[in-house]
Amino acid sequence: MTRVLRLAALVPLAILSVTADAAIQARMPICAIDMGSNSFRRIVGSFDKGRYAQRSIEKRTLGVGDDVTRHGRISDAKLAEIDEALSAFKTSCEKDGAAPVVAIGTSAFREAPNGARVVAIAAKLGIPMEIATEKRESELAYLAGSLGQDGHAVIDNGSRSIELVARNGSATRYVVFNLGYRVAYETFFAPAADPEAAAQAFRDRLRQEALKAPFMKGKKKLVGVEFGEMADVLFEPAALEGRVFTLQALKHRLHQITSSRANEFQVLEKTKDLDRALPRLVVAVALTEAFGYSQLELTERETGAGLIIEAGMKTPRQ
């Protein structure tokens, strides 16, 4: 916690959120760079009168979280990759006519003792960047999942952490724990010979975490952020935005996978992005059930979209 506060202190308060001048331009597209622990996303969009419009999204896998785990910090080689990625994203933003350009770093950057180096790299390129606290990341996840409406419960399932967040009025409550899809797959599935036992162990752990978040129960709807790969890999193709999965359908699909014969699961393991999709399916089942919902609604908006929505909500109405 001390390290997070120290990093935050290095960032001028003026750039910890979109500035007032930037908010005035919010009806024009904003370019938000979501610097996740595994992937970076360049999101161009706008938010006005409760409506979010996304013009484009571009993704790059950088694996910053793995780099931090391996080296105990962000390595010099990875810093150079980040510099190149941010520079390319900034150029693309300018070509798209999207302004301002803002960036946010999440879990891996909180953990890295030299995360402030990345803030300096971004500043050199003219990109205001913040390293989000758990509270800040949860607030943005809520905006992405709810479009700023009250009374929602949002699950944001990233590569290293999961955010559980709900809001009623001005009261936002959240819980964050490090069981994102990369951590979960390596912890429960990669070393296990029995997928059913692995899924059960993961579900048991998720139920324990759910006990810390009773505020997630009884809301208007339960929304899943960053569950797109689960839907794309493990279910029939369909539009992601607003797609609803019943708890029954989620449990049925999980049972199909985990009760398959060993040779069948070995074939399934070769499916592209299964390591991203299967842990998210377990999360969807365990948390939808634990919080007492009959269904989970997905959104294609990701955490970085929260910056765009936030700017639109601050825009003075004419």
Side-chain angles (χ1 to χ4, degrees), residues 69-91:
T69 298
R70 188 177 305 114
H71 300 285
R73 57 193 290 278
I74 304 172
S75 67
D76 290 342
K78 190 60 64 177
L79 288 170
E81 280 187 59
I82 292 170
D83 192 341
E84 189 278 329
L86 290 179
S87 179
F89 278 176
K90 176 77 179 299
T91 299

PDB file of all heavy atoms in Angstrom, residues 69-91:
ATOM      1  N   THR A  69       6.608 -10.784 -12.535  1.00  0.00           N
ATOM      2  CA  THR A  69       6.764 -12.017 -11.756  1.00  0.00           C
ATOM      3  C   THR A  69       8.157 -12.603 -11.945  1.00  0.00           C
ATOM      4  O   THR A  69       8.790 -13.078 -10.993  1.00  0.00           O
ATOM      5  CB  THR A  69       5.703 -13.055 -12.180  1.00  0.00           C
ATOM      6  OG1 THR A  69       4.402 -12.521 -11.898  1.00  0.00           O
ATOM      7  CG2 THR A  69       5.875 -14.357 -11.422  1.00  0.00           C
ATOM      8  N   ARG A  70       8.646 -12.565 -13.178  1.00  0.00           N
ATOM      9  CA  ARG A  70       9.951 -13.163 -13.501  1.00  0.00           C
ATOM     10  C   ARG A  70      11.116 -12.350 -12.922  1.00  0.00           C
ATOM     11  O   ARG A  70      12.086 -12.913 -12.412  1.00  0.00           O
ATOM     12  CB  ARG A  70      10.088 -13.266 -15.017  1.00  0.00           C
ATOM     13  CG  ARG A  70      11.299 -14.047 -15.504  1.00  0.00           C
ATOM     14  CD  ARG A  70      11.295 -14.161 -17.015  1.00  0.00           C
ATOM     15  NE  ARG A  70      10.059 -14.749 -17.507  1.00  0.00           N
ATOM     16  CZ  ARG A  70       9.158 -14.110 -18.260  1.00  0.00           C
ATOM     17  NH1 ARG A  70       9.364 -12.836 -18.592  1.00  0.00           N
ATOM     18  NH2 ARG A  70       8.071 -14.707 -18.661  1.00  0.00           N
ATOM     19  N   HIS A  71      11.039 -11.022 -13.004  1.00  0.00           N
ATOM     20  CA  HIS A  71      12.178 -10.178 -12.651  1.00  0.00           C
ATOM     21  C   HIS A  71      12.008  -9.415 -11.334  1.00  0.00           C
ATOM     22  O   HIS A  71      12.973  -8.801 -10.856  1.00  0.00           O
ATOM     23  CB  HIS A  71      12.440  -9.162 -13.770  1.00  0.00           C
ATOM     24  CG  HIS A  71      12.755  -9.790 -15.096  1.00  0.00           C
ATOM     25  ND1 HIS A  71      13.970 -10.370 -15.376  1.00  0.00           N
ATOM     26  CD2 HIS A  71      12.000  -9.937 -16.219  1.00  0.00           C
ATOM     27  CE1 HIS A  71      13.961 -10.839 -16.626  1.00  0.00           C
ATOM     28  NE2 HIS A  71      12.777 -10.588 -17.154  1.00  0.00           N
ATOM     29  N   GLY A  72      10.803  -9.412 -10.770  1.00  0.00           N
ATOM     30  CA  GLY A  72      10.568  -8.635  -9.567  1.00  0.00           C
ATOM     31  C   GLY A  72      10.399  -7.160  -9.838  1.00  0.00           C
ATOM     32  O   GLY A  72      10.271  -6.347  -8.920  1.00  0.00           O
ATOM     33  N   ARG A  73      10.358  -6.789 -11.103  1.00  0.00           N
ATOM     34  CA  ARG A  73      10.212  -5.404 -11.550  1.00  0.00           C
ATOM     35  C   ARG A  73       9.907  -5.454 -13.044  1.00  0.00           C
ATOM     36  O   ARG A  73       9.914  -6.534 -13.642  1.00  0.00           O
ATOM     37  CB  ARG A  73      11.509  -4.607 -11.307  1.00  0.00           C
ATOM     38  CG  ARG A  73      12.725  -5.233 -12.003  1.00  0.00           C
ATOM     39  CD  ARG A  73      14.038  -4.657 -11.532  1.00  0.00           C
ATOM     40  NE  ARG A  73      14.221  -3.303 -11.972  1.00  0.00           N
ATOM     41  CZ  ARG A  73      14.672  -2.970 -13.194  1.00  0.00           C
ATOM     42  NH1 ARG A  73      14.945  -3.914 -14.080  1.00  0.00           N
ATOM     43  NH2 ARG A  73      14.838  -1.728 -13.510  1.00  0.00           N
ATOM     44  N   ILE A  74       9.657  -4.312 -13.645  1.00  0.00           N
ATOM     45  CA  ILE A  74       9.500  -4.267 -15.099  1.00  0.00           C
ATOM     46  C   ILE A  74      10.903  -4.176 -15.695  1.00  0.00           C
ATOM     47  O   ILE A  74      11.651  -3.234 -15.414  1.00  0.00           O
ATOM     48  CB  ILE A  74       8.648  -3.071 -15.539  1.00  0.00           C
ATOM     49  CG1 ILE A  74       7.282  -3.088 -14.840  1.00  0.00           C
ATOM     50  CG2 ILE A  74       8.450  -3.084 -17.058  1.00  0.00           C
ATOM     51  CD1 ILE A  74       6.442  -1.843 -15.076  1.00  0.00           C
ATOM     52  N   SER A  75      11.283  -5.169 -16.474  1.00  0.00           N
ATOM     53  CA  SER A  75      12.640  -5.228 -17.010  1.00  0.00           C
ATOM     54  C   SER A  75      12.878  -4.105 -18.019  1.00  0.00           C
ATOM     55  O   SER A  75      11.939  -3.520 -18.579  1.00  0.00           O
ATOM     56  CB  SER A  75      12.881  -6.574 -17.693  1.00  0.00           C
ATOM     57  OG  SER A  75      12.081  -6.691 -18.857  1.00  0.00           O
ATOM     58  N   ASP A  76      14.145  -3.811 -18.267  1.00  0.00           N
ATOM     59  CA  ASP A  76      14.487  -2.777 -19.238  1.00  0.00           C
ATOM     60  C   ASP A  76      13.969  -3.131 -20.630  1.00  0.00           C
ATOM     61  O   ASP A  76      13.509  -2.256 -21.378  1.00  0.00           O
ATOM     62  CB  ASP A  76      16.010  -2.576 -19.289  1.00  0.00           C
ATOM     63  CG  ASP A  76      16.549  -1.913 -18.017  1.00  0.00           C
ATOM     64  OD1 ASP A  76      15.746  -1.320 -17.273  1.00  0.00           O
ATOM     65  OD2 ASP A  76      17.770  -1.992 -17.790  1.00  0.00           O
ATOM     66  N   ALA A  77      14.049  -4.412 -20.981  1.00  0.00           N
ATOM     67  CA  ALA A  77      13.542  -4.841 -22.293  1.00  0.00           C
ATOM     68  C   ALA A  77      12.043  -4.597 -22.399  1.00  0.00           C
ATOM     69  O   ALA A  77      11.538  -4.145 -23.439  1.00  0.00           O
ATOM     70  CB  ALA A  77      13.860  -6.319 -22.517  1.00  0.00           C
ATOM     71  N   LYS A  78      11.319  -4.875 -21.321  1.00  0.00           N
ATOM     72  CA  LYS A  78       9.867  -4.670 -21.340  1.00  0.00           C
ATOM     73  C   LYS A  78       9.530  -3.179 -21.349  1.00  0.00           C
ATOM     74  O   LYS A  78       8.559  -2.765 -22.000  1.00  0.00           O
ATOM     75  CB  LYS A  78       9.224  -5.354 -20.131  1.00  0.00           C
ATOM     76  CG  LYS A  78       7.709  -5.416 -20.173  1.00  0.00           C
ATOM     77  CD  LYS A  78       7.191  -6.177 -21.381  1.00  0.00           C
ATOM     78  CE  LYS A  78       7.599  -7.635 -21.368  1.00  0.00           C
ATOM     79  NZ  LYS A  78       7.026  -8.374 -22.521  1.00  0.00           N
ATOM     80  N   LEU A  79      10.318  -2.369 -20.649  1.00  0.00           N
ATOM     81  CA  LEU A  79      10.107  -0.918 -20.689  1.00  0.00           C
ATOM     82  C   LEU A  79      10.241  -0.398 -22.117  1.00  0.00           C
ATOM     83  O   LEU A  79       9.474   0.472 -22.545  1.00  0.00           O
ATOM     84  CB  LEU A  79      11.103  -0.209 -19.776  1.00  0.00           C
ATOM     85  CG  LEU A  79      10.860  -0.362 -18.263  1.00  0.00           C
ATOM     86  CD1 LEU A  79      12.055   0.167 -17.486  1.00  0.00           C
ATOM     87  CD2 LEU A  79       9.588   0.367 -17.829  1.00  0.00           C
ATOM     88  N   ALA A  80      11.202  -0.939 -22.859  1.00  0.00           N
ATOM     89  CA  ALA A  80      11.378  -0.530 -24.257  1.00  0.00           C
ATOM     90  C   ALA A  80      10.168  -0.942 -25.094  1.00  0.00           C
ATOM     91  O   ALA A  80       9.714  -0.183 -25.967  1.00  0.00           O
ATOM     92  CB  ALA A  80      12.652  -1.146 -24.828  1.00  0.00           C
ATOM     93  N   GLU A  81       9.627  -2.132 -24.838  1.00  0.00           N
ATOM     94  CA  GLU A  81       8.421  -2.586 -25.545  1.00  0.00           C
ATOM     95  C   GLU A  81       7.245  -1.661 -25.245  1.00  0.00           C
ATOM     96  O   GLU A  81       6.452  -1.326 -26.128  1.00  0.00           O
ATOM     97  CB  GLU A  81       8.058  -4.009 -25.120  1.00  0.00           C
ATOM     98  CG  GLU A  81       8.850  -5.110 -25.769  1.00  0.00           C
ATOM     99  CD  GLU A  81       8.280  -6.473 -25.393  1.00  0.00           C
ATOM    100  OE1 GLU A  81       7.091  -6.722 -25.691  1.00  0.00           O
ATOM    101  OE2 GLU A  81       9.011  -7.258 -24.782  1.00  0.00           O
ATOM    102  N   ILE A  82       7.123  -1.284 -23.979  1.00  0.00           N
ATOM    103  CA  ILE A  82       6.025  -0.403 -23.571  1.00  0.00           C
ATOM    104  C   ILE A  82       6.152   0.950 -24.268  1.00  0.00           C
ATOM    105  O   ILE A  82       5.167   1.513 -24.764  1.00  0.00           O
ATOM    106  CB  ILE A  82       6.004  -0.238 -22.043  1.00  0.00           C
ATOM    107  CG1 ILE A  82       5.619  -1.571 -21.370  1.00  0.00           C
ATOM    108  CG2 ILE A  82       5.045   0.874 -21.614  1.00  0.00           C
ATOM    109  CD1 ILE A  82       5.812  -1.582 -19.872  1.00  0.00           C
ATOM    110  N   ASP A  83       7.373   1.472 -24.317  1.00  0.00           N
ATOM    111  CA  ASP A  83       7.644   2.747 -24.991  1.00  0.00           C
ATOM    112  C   ASP A  83       7.190   2.670 -26.449  1.00  0.00           C
ATOM    113  O   ASP A  83       6.482   3.553 -26.954  1.00  0.00           O
ATOM    114  CB  ASP A  83       9.139   3.058 -24.901  1.00  0.00           C
ATOM    115  CG  ASP A  83       9.471   4.488 -25.317  1.00  0.00           C
ATOM    116  OD1 ASP A  83       8.654   5.127 -25.989  1.00  0.00           O
ATOM    117  OD2 ASP A  83      10.571   4.949 -24.974  1.00  0.00           O
ATOM    118  N   GLU A  84       7.570   1.584 -27.119  1.00  0.00           N
ATOM    119  CA  GLU A  84       7.227   1.425 -28.535  1.00  0.00           C
ATOM    120  C   GLU A  84       5.716   1.308 -28.719  1.00  0.00           C
ATOM    121  O   GLU A  84       5.132   1.912 -29.630  1.00  0.00           O
ATOM    122  CB  GLU A  84       7.934   0.193 -29.091  1.00  0.00           C
ATOM    123  CG  GLU A  84       7.839   0.038 -30.607  1.00  0.00           C
ATOM    124  CD  GLU A  84       6.529  -0.596 -31.067  1.00  0.00           C
ATOM    125  OE1 GLU A  84       5.978  -1.422 -30.321  1.00  0.00           O
ATOM    126  OE2 GLU A  84       6.048  -0.245 -32.173  1.00  0.00           O
ATOM    127  N   ALA A  85       5.062   0.534 -27.841  1.00  0.00           N
ATOM    128  CA  ALA A  85       3.617   0.330 -27.955  1.00  0.00           C
ATOM    129  C   ALA A  85       2.856   1.640 -27.728  1.00  0.00           C
ATOM    130  O   ALA A  85       1.929   1.974 -28.482  1.00  0.00           O
ATOM    131  CB  ALA A  85       3.155  -0.732 -26.962  1.00  0.00           C
ATOM    132  N   LEU A  86       3.236   2.386 -26.699  1.00  0.00           N
ATOM    133  CA  LEU A  86       2.559   3.649 -26.412  1.00  0.00           C
ATOM    134  C   LEU A  86       2.774   4.659 -27.533  1.00  0.00           C
ATOM    135  O   LEU A  86       1.856   5.403 -27.900  1.00  0.00           O
ATOM    136  CB  LEU A  86       3.045   4.222 -25.082  1.00  0.00           C
ATOM    137  CG  LEU A  86       2.627   3.469 -23.822  1.00  0.00           C
ATOM    138  CD1 LEU A  86       3.201   4.151 -22.583  1.00  0.00           C
ATOM    139  CD2 LEU A  86       1.107   3.377 -23.701  1.00  0.00           C
ATOM    140  N   SER A  87       3.979   4.687 -28.088  1.00  0.00           N
ATOM    141  CA  SER A  87       4.270   5.595 -29.199  1.00  0.00           C
ATOM    142  C   SER A  87       3.402   5.264 -30.409  1.00  0.00           C
ATOM    143  O   SER A  87       2.816   6.154 -31.040  1.00  0.00           O
ATOM    144  CB  SER A  87       5.752   5.504 -29.573  1.00  0.00           C
ATOM    145  OG  SER A  87       6.046   6.359 -30.674  1.00  0.00           O
ATOM    146  N   ALA A  88       3.288   3.961 -30.719  1.00  0.00           N
ATOM    147  CA  ALA A  88       2.461   3.551 -31.860  1.00  0.00           C
ATOM    148  C   ALA A  88       0.991   3.863 -31.600  1.00  0.00           C
ATOM    149  O   ALA A  88       0.275   4.325 -32.505  1.00  0.00           O
ATOM    150  CB  ALA A  88       2.654   2.055 -32.112  1.00  0.00           C
ATOM    151  N   PHE A  89       0.538   3.627 -30.375  1.00  0.00           N
ATOM    152  CA  PHE A  89      -0.853   3.927 -30.036  1.00  0.00           C
ATOM    153  C   PHE A  89      -1.125   5.431 -30.154  1.00  0.00           C
ATOM    154  O   PHE A  89      -2.180   5.839 -30.645  1.00  0.00           O
ATOM    155  CB  PHE A  89      -1.167   3.450 -28.618  1.00  0.00           C
ATOM    156  CG  PHE A  89      -1.497   1.982 -28.503  1.00  0.00           C
ATOM    157  CD1 PHE A  89      -1.717   1.408 -27.260  1.00  0.00           C
ATOM    158  CD2 PHE A  89      -1.611   1.177 -29.627  1.00  0.00           C
ATOM    159  CE1 PHE A  89      -2.030   0.062 -27.143  1.00  0.00           C
ATOM    160  CE2 PHE A  89      -1.927  -0.166 -29.518  1.00  0.00           C
ATOM    161  CZ  PHE A  89      -2.143  -0.725 -28.267  1.00  0.00           C
ATOM    162  N   LYS A  90      -0.191   6.238 -29.677  1.00  0.00           N
ATOM    163  CA  LYS A  90      -0.375   7.696 -29.756  1.00  0.00           C
ATOM    164  C   LYS A  90      -0.502   8.140 -31.217  1.00  0.00           C
ATOM    165  O   LYS A  90      -1.370   8.958 -31.560  1.00  0.00           O
ATOM    166  CB  LYS A  90       0.814   8.394 -29.086  1.00  0.00           C
ATOM    167  CG  LYS A  90       0.790   9.931 -29.184  1.00  0.00           C
ATOM    168  CD  LYS A  90      -0.186  10.539 -28.203  1.00  0.00           C
ATOM    169  CE  LYS A  90      -0.203  12.076 -28.278  1.00  0.00           C
ATOM    170  NZ  LYS A  90       1.095  12.683 -27.953  1.00  0.00           N
ATOM    171  N   THR A  91       0.329   7.590 -32.090  1.00  0.00           N
ATOM    172  CA  THR A  91       0.259   7.921 -33.514  1.00  0.00           C
ATOM    173  C   THR A  91      -1.090   7.518 -34.096  1.00  0.00           C
ATOM    174  O   THR A  91      -1.716   8.273 -34.849  1.00  0.00           O
ATOM    175  CB  THR A  91       1.398   7.225 -34.282  1.00  0.00           C
ATOM    176  OG1 THR A  91       2.650   7.687 -33.784  1.00  0.00           O
ATOM    177  CG2 THR A  91       1.305   7.516 -35.775  1.00  0.00           C
TER     178      THR A  91
END
